[in-house]
Amino acid sequence: RIFKRLSFIRDITDAMPLSSAPFARLVSSLKRAGTTCAVVESCCGGIISSSILSRPGASSVFLGGSICYNTRKGKKLLLNDDALHASLVAPLGDAVGGGAESDADRYVRSKVEWTRRTSVEYCRQLDVDFAIAEGGAAGPTFRPKGLDAGFAALAVAARDPIDGTVRVVRSEVHRSGHADRERNMREFADAAASLAAEAVEEVRGIGSDDGCAVNRSSAPPPFLDRATKIRSDPDAIASLATGARYLALRGGSALFEDGGTGDLALLRRDEIEAVCADSGATMETAFLGLAGEDREAVFGVDLIGGDDDKVESAITASIGGGGATGASFTNLRTGLPLLQPDDQELALHAMALAQWQRRSAFCSSCGSPAPLVDAGTCRRCSSCGTPYWPRQDPSIISVVTSRDRQKVLLAHSKRHPPLVHTALAGFVEAGETYEKAVAREAYEETGALVDPESVQYIGSQPWPFPQSSMIGFVAEADESVPLNIDTDELVDARWFDREEVLKAAEVPGAVMRKEVAEAAIQNDPSLTLLIPPKGVLARTLIDAWLQEQ
């Protein structure tokens, strides 16, 4: 479990730059004052400490830090101090004034007390000049009820340079206004750094160093530049097409290297033309954009008609000694998790355009032919001139948990391999909010009654099978309500505890493929559950729940 927590921290920090202006200012202020600091953090998960260490020269001012996410069980992480731990787990007294206090306000106040006490003890016992403490809630779900956005209680304790006494010199509650976990973790860390820098500058009387250098590189350019302005320039497209790479599609499959288990196989123009000539297939192309550091033009090419065996043989013959080693068509729906994120984006973009091209040959207003324009990304009616662009149908996908967050409701449908259970999903109806769709689908398919206020957005993923956009949520429901499974939609749905899901999460491979699932079961007959592999939104939602504890 420690490894899983560290892996989660690694994933979060990989997705965001560590260095930021507040941390550049903090480290600069500590160095100019000749002082040291320590950190104790909770929902920031190590980002405060990591961000300090990312700054040049931080080793001279930073002693170290602790991450304690569970106070009751984390005494050893909290200086292993009996008195401190007892004070942190003791019942919280009444608010000043004795007035009514909501559960949410009481929870926030508990975090304020936690940070004030821990900051003082870390400063005193570690013999540093300053100690930063952070505790709060980053989302995407919150307890108790009444919290719907992230907050962080922040405190900075300082040692008096004259008599050595330690006291809290800064304390505040930072509220984000949203429930995005990763954004909140970064935002709270930056807020803690800003608060600490202010404290150092005031206590040591050094003033703000507004000119401190920020060694923070800009976010890298996107892997795929869709280059939308180029689409409408036929000459530019024709020039790019000659030296471009082509991602071949056939039906619901994309061309993969290494017998369907490697990266996407990108072919040259002459290779694609040879495949069509040898197999009798025709091709419909769409400009995907400029990819990679070299900004190489990439097109999707839908191979239509011809004999399947001849197409496969023609690909093998045409690529010869080229780069697409052992290429074969692989079902993208089950093969998507095998791809790296950049290849996933290319494949989903290409498949979405191909699916739309196949279904939109005629004008929906007058019925006349609507040929492709703008490099295959738009159609324009040959009669009335109405333009049409690719569409995506919104669909929700949700992981429903019990109210105590200890169990999760997963479903098995007829198309799933043995033991594979996944999140509930369905289309959003006309005039329906996404949140209402989450509750409706859960009730229609399983009988579960979702608590409306518990529905929280997590993320999205294009799903062009044929033309969906999946919008992901987590929600809570009363597990004591008996399930009523819609057998027209599902074979099974039930509540799984955390241990079952953790064990399923350790099973490698693309288990949405029947042969992979069967091999996993044969390898470990004790398995009671398989879940979708990483790389698809359903797994992201399940992992978000697993990472809560």
Side-chain angles (χ1 to χ4, degrees), residues 458 533-545 547:
I458 298 295
K534 290 183 180 294
V536 295
L537 184 55
R539 179 60 178 269
T540 301
L541 300 176
I542 294 171
D543 283 350
W545 171 70
Q547 289 161 358

Side-chain angles (χ1 to χ4, degrees), residues 498-527:
R498 195 174 294 274
E499 293 303 319
E500 288 179 282
V501 183
L502 279 170
K503 184 174 182 179
E506 294 171 353
V507 177
V511 298
M512 300 305 285
R513 293 177 173 177
K514 184 179 179 181
E515 66 275 13
V516 177
E518 290 175 342
I521 297 168
Q522 184 176 6
N523 183 57
D524 185 358
S526 68
L527 285 172

Side-chain angles (χ1 to χ4, degrees), residues 305-366:
D307 180 79
D308 287 341
D309 291 338
K310 288 184 178 180
V311 171
E312 291 275 5
S313 298
I315 285 176
T316 302
S318 296
I319 62 177
T325 307
S328 66
F329 284 104
T330 297
N331 184 289
L332 189 57
R333 189 170 188 146
T334 57
L336 187 70
L338 301 174
L339 298 174
Q340 295 299 313
D342 291 342
D343 274 1
Q344 284 192 6
E345 182 180 8
L346 272 179
L348 290 169
H349 186 26
M351 183 60 73
L353 287 170
Q355 293 275 36
W356 167 75
Q357 287 178 350
R358 297 166 190 167
R359 296 165 178 264
S360 59
F362 298 93
C363 176
S364 61
S365 296
C366 70

Side-chain angles (χ1 to χ4, degrees), residues 253-339:
S253 298
L255 195 63
F256 281 53
E257 292 183 351
D258 298 327
T261 61
D263 297 332
L264 290 177
L266 299 179
L267 306 183
R268 301 189 304 270
R269 176 80 182 193
D270 62 312
E271 292 173 333
I272 286 291
E273 291 174 343
V275 168
C276 290
D278 294 344
S279 68
T282 60
M283 63 177 178
E284 195 73 83
T285 62
F287 176 60
L288 304 182
L290 308 175
E293 294 182 1
D294 296 333
R295 287 299 181 249
E296 184 177 37
V298 182
F299 288 75
V301 55
D302 191 14
L303 298 177
I304 304 166
D307 180 79
D308 287 341
D309 291 338
K310 288 184 178 180
V311 171
E312 291 275 5
S313 298
I315 285 176
T316 302
S318 296
I319 62 177
T325 307
S328 66
F329 284 104
T330 297
N331 184 289
L332 189 57
R333 189 170 188 146
T334 57
L336 187 70
L338 301 174
L339 298 174

